[in-house]
Amino acid sequence: MKNIRHLLLKLLVLLFLISVCGCSEKDGPTPGDQKDFDASVLGENQMMQYFVGNHSGQTILKYAQADLDADGREDLIVIFNIAKGKNMMSVIRHQGVDLVETNAVPAPVSDQMIQFKNIDKKPPLEFILQGRKGAKVGYAIFRVEDGKLADLFGEGMEDCC
């Protein structure tokens, strides 16, 4: 019973956070702006070229772009496969004139979705990662803080990653 109450409380908090984000306002790209990887993007996307150069042999599954740190330049979120049943996510962003990568964090095995939400109405821009592994479903809310991916809140990610 205590676990059910805990889960319901987390769900209510998530619904509250999503509702106060101003879903009718455009916070950045919508979930439909997330893309499956296609090698043709390499010719036009410097951040993707940077990622591939640092992750040879790893398969890119999905990516999305938005200005996460309010510097006027889009950042690149990449979900990639490192082994059978094991995916990771990191962000490529600008630091001055250089490109840098955040720490990598576990990502869902299938049905990954990235959704941008300006939850607190100030930079940096938050994003929700959700997905599953078999019947296990999870989500987490992230933002980039001091060059690292910070997991702000989530449920079930340990079971779907």
Side-chain angles (χ1 to χ4, degrees), residues 21-139:
C21 75
C23 293
S24 64
E25 299 172 19
K26 182 97 169 129
D27 293 330
T30 62
D33 293 331
Q34 147 192 310
K35 298 180 175 85
D36 293 327
F37 180 71
D38 178 340
S40 66
V41 75
L42 287 173
E44 60 194 50
N45 191 317
Q46 183 183 18
M47 288 185 292
M48 190 66 77
Q49 292 168 5
Y50 176 87
F51 180 86
V52 169
N54 289 318
H55 294 272
S56 64
Q58 295 174 338
T59 304
I60 300 170
L61 303 172
K62 304 226 184 229
Y63 69 98
Q65 289 187 247
D67 184 1
L68 299 176
D69 53 10
D71 67 354
R73 300 176 287 187
E74 285 195 335
D75 304 295
L76 175 71
I77 301 170
V78 181
I79 300 173
F80 56 103
N81 177 259
I82 61 169
K84 184 176 178 162
K86 181 78 172 153
N87 296 337
M88 301 295 281
M89 175 184 67
S90 64
V91 174
I92 306 298
R93 59 187 194 81
H94 296 273
Q95 187 171 348
V97 297
D98 297 322
L99 291 174
V100 295
E101 184 173 0
T102 65
N103 55 311
V105 297
V109 172
S110 60
D111 296 331
Q112 306 91 350
M113 184 185 301
I114 301 166
Q115 184 177 13
F116 299 97
K117 291 288 182 190
N118 190 357
I119 293 170
D120 59 2
K121 300 293 184 201
K122 62 182 182 177
L125 179 65
E126 294 81 19
F127 62 96
I128 301 167
L129 173 66
Q130 62 187 38
R132 66 182 184 87
K133 179 178 184 178
K136 305 284 184 173
V137 177
Y139 71 91

